[in-house]
Amino acid sequence: MSEFHGSASRSSRPQPDRTPPPRTRTEGLRQRLAELRGPDVPAKALDARALAALAANPGCRRRAILDGAGVDKAALASALGAPSGFGQSQFALTRGNAFEAKVKADGGAELLRLVHARLDPGAEPPAGAALPDLSALGPEGRTARTALALREAVDAGGWTLLDHPMLALDVAGSVAFLEPDAVVVHPDGSWTVVEIKSFPMLDGSADPAKVGAAARQAAVYVLALEAVAARLDPAPRVRHRVLLVCPKDFSNLPTASAVDVRKQRAVTARQLARLTRVEEIAGSLPEGTCFAPDRPAEELTAAVEAVPATYAPECLSACELAFHCRERSREAGAVTRLGRPLRAELGGLTTVEEVLAAARGEAGDPVDPAVAALRRAAALRAEALRAAGHPAAAEVAACR
């Protein structure tokens, strides 16, 4: 009897809850992105160059999810049979690293001199600037160490040079860790982004296309710095004029120019805000979707095609998957492959076949301005061909 009562007493005691705690939303998204990337596949970190390209095409859900999940798009493109030559050559990387080392030699004396001369000539000369140690464990640790160094530099006053700081920026629900070439803290506590490029500056000016790309990249760093500054009280000023350092003429001597990135910053902020959240895209994908490059080509193709893409010719200079997406765009007859300006002019006509049918009068609403313009253009072409006695004139007339 006593044994019965003893067992009953033990069974009535409250038992510890061994149910694992539910995953938080962040943990669940991180796990989902790891599944999309593939088991044991390390994440490829987003950089400012990729973010600038992503912001330039905010409607591309394919790039958003691949970048958000840290997928190596170059390896994925090769596995799909459409390798891309996108990216810098090894020679260009080596030359760029050598030039950057020259600019930052002697404690960054020449770099600080250029910042002082181009951006803050009224301040005291940057003699004996502070160079804080930013080393820490992992990107999160380096980001925290950078934020601490920035705060300490503001409190201390004087000039401070942060060599390759680490910044964090939330992009469509995913954190991107960014590493600018340098950030300079001025004596008044303001912050400047420094971009060091290996393309030359000839007679005080550089290739406008390359300067524009550098400005868009620097604008991403400015946005990330503003997020750090917003957590301080009072918030330091993040300067919207960045310093672009390049080789002078055909030498290896550094020269610099101040570049106003307010326009690029505003555009990038607006485009990043328009990005569909990674969590939403991941939730819409079929279970088992995986972009690991070691998967069979058929499976990879199905996974990639499960996410809509918005291809444009500009993607060829900004995305590793551009060749694959261009081929699919050609197969579908999409007008986006002819350029965004033309796509905008065509309104609801999304394929080349629809455009040709509208021009021939076989389809389309005549009241639609795009359809009316196409038919007017077709009529003018037929008239010109008739006047020239071209044999195709009869075919055009038959179509109409």
Side-chain angles (χ1 to χ4, degrees):
M1 193 65 147
S2 60
E3 185 177 350
F4 172 80
H5 284 298
S7 62
S9 175
R10 283 193 299 272
S11 64
S12 63
R13 294 173 187 166
Q15 299 297 315
D17 185 6
R18 294 185 174 84
T19 305
R23 291 188 302 181
T24 65
R25 182 177 178 179
T26 302
E27 291 172 342
L29 176 59
R30 188 180 294 114
Q31 177 63 29
R32 177 61 173 146
L33 294 180
E35 293 171 355
L36 291 173
R37 190 169 57 247
D40 304 323
V41 177
K44 182 176 175 61
L46 270 175
D47 57 16
R49 190 191 302 268
L51 280 180
L54 184 60
N57 192 5
C60 187
R61 296 167 67 94
R62 181 175 296 171
R63 173 149 197 169
I65 189 63
L66 293 176
D67 283 346
V71 175
D72 187 340
K73 296 194 297 298
L76 179 60
S78 297
L80 290 170
S84 171
F86 172 76
Q88 286 185 303
S89 68
Q90 190 59 44
F91 172 75
L93 290 172
T94 302
R95 183 183 58 187
N97 291 337
F99 178 69
E100 181 177 339
K102 181 180 181 66
V103 172
K104 295 179 178 178
D106 300 323
E110 179 63 14
L111 175 56
L112 289 165
R113 186 192 68 79
L114 290 171
V115 172
H116 178 260
R118 300 290 190 272
L119 295 175
D120 203 357
E124 62 184 60
L131 292 115
D133 180 12
L134 303 179
S135 58
L137 185 62
E140 293 87 355
R142 290 185 59 199
T143 300
R145 182 68 189 90
T146 296
L148 177 61
L150 286 167
R151 184 169 68 247
E152 291 174 342
V154 171
D155 294 339
W159 292 92
T160 299
L161 172 61
L162 279 69
D163 185 9
H164 283 287
M166 183 68 74
L167 307 171
L169 186 65
D170 182 82
V171 181
S174 180
V175 177
F177 293 101
L178 311 171
E179 188 176 350
D181 293 328
V183 170
V184 173
V185 180
H186 297 245
D188 63 359
S190 59
W191 303 346
T192 289
V193 171
V194 177
E195 271 291 277
I196 303 174
K197 298 297 184 183
S198 60
F199 56 80
M201 198 173 286
L202 306 175
D203 294 328
S205 62
D207 183 342
K210 294 180 178 179
V211 173
R216 289 190 293 272
Q217 187 174 337
V220 176
Y221 296 137
V222 169
L223 284 172
L225 268 182
E226 287 177 345
V228 178
R231 296 193 291 269
L232 302 182
D233 188 18
R237 177 168 65 99
V238 179
R239 293 175 177 245
H240 290 160
R241 294 177 74 213
V242 305
L243 190 75
L244 176 62
V245 183
C246 299
K248 182 179 181 180
D249 298 327
F250 298 101
S251 71
N252 200 34
L253 299 175
T255 186
S257 175
V259 180
D260 193 325
V261 298
R262 281 178 293 184
K263 178 181 178 180
Q264 290 85 354
R265 180 217 165 275
V267 171
T268 301
R270 183 170 64 251
Q271 299 292 61
L272 290 178
R274 287 177 54 198
L275 284 173
T276 306
R277 295 188 67 82
V278 171
E279 186 176 14
E280 177 186 331
I281 303 174
S284 67
L285 296 178
E287 195 66 31
T289 300
C290 182
F291 302 108
D294 59 353
R295 296 295 178 99
E298 299 79 8
E299 185 179 333
L300 269 183
T301 301
V304 170
E305 295 304 315
V307 193
T310 306
Y311 172 78
E314 295 85 349
C315 296
L316 292 171
S317 61
C319 182
E320 296 87 341
L321 276 181
F323 289 167
H324 172 82
C325 296
R326 181 179 64 175
E327 187 61 31
R328 291 297 184 271
S329 181
R330 284 174 173 171
E331 291 174 0
V335 296
T336 51
R337 65 187 174 89
L338 303 176
R340 292 193 184 99
L342 179 60
R343 172 69 187 88
E345 292 289 337
L346 292 174
L349 304 175
T350 59
T351 68
V352 174
E353 283 302 319
E354 289 177 352
V355 172
L356 294 177
R360 293 191 294 258
E362 300 171 358
D365 185 355
V367 181
D368 186 335
V371 174
L374 287 168
R375 292 182 180 176
R376 175 61 178 160
L380 291 173
R381 177 175 180 269
E383 183 179 336
L385 290 174
R386 282 196 300 270
H390 198 282
E395 297 178 14
V396 175
C399 291
R400 298 181 63 245

